[in-house]
Amino acid sequence: MSKSVQFGLHVWVLDAMEGPTPVSALIHAATMVTVGVYLLIRCSFIIEYSSTVRILAVFVGGATVFIATLAAAYQTDLKSVIAYSTSSQLGYMVIACGISNYGVAVFHLLNHGFFKALLFLVAGIVIHTLRDEQDIRRMGGLFYILPWSYCFFGVASLSLFGVSYFSGSFSKEALLISLFGLPFTLVNGFYHLLLVSAFCTVGYSLRLIYLVFIVQPLGFKNVFAKIGEQASIVNILLLTLLTLLSVTSGYFLSAVFIKGTHTLFSSDLATASNYGFNVGVSEVLLLQQAYSVPLIMIFIIILG
């Protein structure tokens, strides 16, 4: 039995890992696992009538973020690490619904779809190249063999981290600022929990990049002697498109979801009621300008 089932977080992790990687990318990035968040968003007008439901959503979302992040840090299967990362990101969206910031929930849902699909598709290239090997303890040294895959995976990871100017940073920082601005001490404590989880996300993602691409080859020599970049031109173009969206979607969609107007979804999203907090784009950009250069420099130094 898979460790993901034994851990008891999400049974669907096993199903997504057993299928082809493109199917896993579709399930984790855009369809099945996001249905629950989509239902919360569509029921926003009902949820706004109960503060208890909103508080419960914050607790469940915070627990999901923290537990799934810890679970991802101990996985050795490449697709399993990315799958638990999806669970963690879903927790962010549920918290956004719990604090009546449904625009941020949709915003992070869209951004997450781009960089998570990119992560899974690159993982599929790595697994196919290594003759269906998924154990990250038997990988390594793929930086020189799969340079395109390394670049795509790095960009998707930067967006997952929430590094400034990447798509994930806009929605993540909007949520963190929303939590920090709440007057309720108990709910505001989840701001610190999400900060710890964000650092853990950086940790297990860097571990994944190091074991797959940087460290000396740890697998079988006869496999590594015959591998090379096998992605076709069409695959590279499609992955390049996802990479561009992983970098730019946050910037272009922020005006729609964070300014408070929700131009495209004004009739479908409830407005923030008792303690909702609308975050201005200028506040997010100001925070990014303050921390973007140090974070990028640290990442370059680690990978160098």
Side-chain angles (χ1 to χ4, degrees):
M1 181 178 292
S2 173
K3 291 183 179 179
S4 58
V5 178
Q6 294 176 0
F7 199 85
L9 274 177
H10 295 282
V11 177
W12 46 261
V13 171
L14 176 61
D15 298 329
M17 289 169 56
E18 292 297 330
T21 307
V23 176
S24 300
L26 179 64
I27 290 175
H28 283 264
T31 54
M32 187 179 71
V33 302
T34 58
V35 170
V37 177
Y38 177 74
L39 180 62
L40 287 176
I41 295 170
R42 293 293 295 177
C43 296
S44 58
F45 292 94
I46 301 175
I47 295 174
E48 287 304 305
Y49 283 101
S50 175
S51 60
T52 303
V53 172
R54 295 198 299 270
I55 294 293
L56 180 62
V58 173
F59 272 84
V60 172
T64 301
V65 170
F66 188 68
I67 296 175
T69 301
L70 292 181
Y74 288 95
Q75 299 301 310
T76 58
D77 187 287
L78 177 58
K79 291 173 66 176
S80 181
V81 175
I82 305 175
Y84 276 110
S85 173
T86 300
S87 302
S88 177
Q89 299 306 306
L90 291 176
Y92 284 94
M93 304 171 202
V94 173
I95 291 177
C97 294
I99 61 175
S100 302
N101 214 331
Y102 304 101
V104 171
V106 179
F107 188 26
H108 194 56
L109 182 65
L110 293 175
N111 289 337
H112 170 263
F114 296 132
F115 63 76
K116 190 52 61 72
L118 183 58
L119 283 173
F120 265 107
L121 291 177
V122 174
I125 293 176
V126 171
I127 294 170
H128 179 69
T129 302
L130 295 178
R131 307 296 190 268
D132 298 327
E133 179 60 67
Q134 296 188 202
D135 194 334
I136 60 177
R137 296 171 297 181
R138 295 183 178 179
M139 299 182 184
L142 299 180
F143 169 71
Y144 299 101
I145 302 172
L146 305 174
W148 283 102
S149 300
Y150 174 75
C151 294
F152 294 141
F153 201 88
V155 171
S157 298
L158 287 172
S159 187
L160 174 63
F161 296 169
V163 173
S164 298
Y165 301 108
F166 288 81
S167 62
S169 65
F170 286 86
S171 50
K172 271 192 173 183
E173 289 180 3
L175 174 59
L176 290 174
I177 294 174
S178 300
L179 282 173
F180 187 74
L182 293 179
F184 296 93
T185 305
L186 185 61
V187 176
N188 185 258
F190 281 92
Y191 168 80
H192 303 285
L193 179 65
L194 292 188
L195 282 182
V196 173
S197 300
F199 280 108
C200 292
T201 300
V202 175
Y204 72 70
S205 297
L206 289 178
R207 166 180 171 264
L208 189 63
I209 293 175
Y210 178 74
L211 291 178
V212 174
F213 294 99
I214 306 299
V215 73
Q216 292 297 319
L218 303 173
F220 300 104
K221 293 183 179 180
N222 59 341
V223 175
F224 281 89
K226 301 178 182 179
I227 62 177
E229 190 83 66
Q230 298 181 3
S232 65
I233 299 299
V234 176
N235 289 338
I236 291 178
L237 290 177
L238 292 175
L239 292 175
T240 302
L241 176 60
L242 281 175
T243 302
L244 292 175
L245 290 172
S246 298
V247 176
T248 61
S249 65
Y251 177 80
F252 290 109
L253 294 176
S254 59
V256 177
F257 293 107
I258 308 183
K259 276 188 174 180
T261 56
H262 307 315
T263 306
L264 298 178
F265 300 91
S266 58
S267 61
D268 296 323
L269 301 178
T271 56
S273 59
N274 298 329
Y275 56 89
F277 187 77
N278 290 324
V279 184
V281 177
S282 59
E283 294 174 329
V284 178
L285 292 178
L286 183 62
L287 191 63
Q288 292 187 8
Q289 291 172 359
Y291 293 102
S292 61
V293 176
L295 287 175
I296 294 176
M297 289 300 296
I298 291 173
F299 187 77
I300 293 175
I301 291 173
I302 291 175
L303 294 185

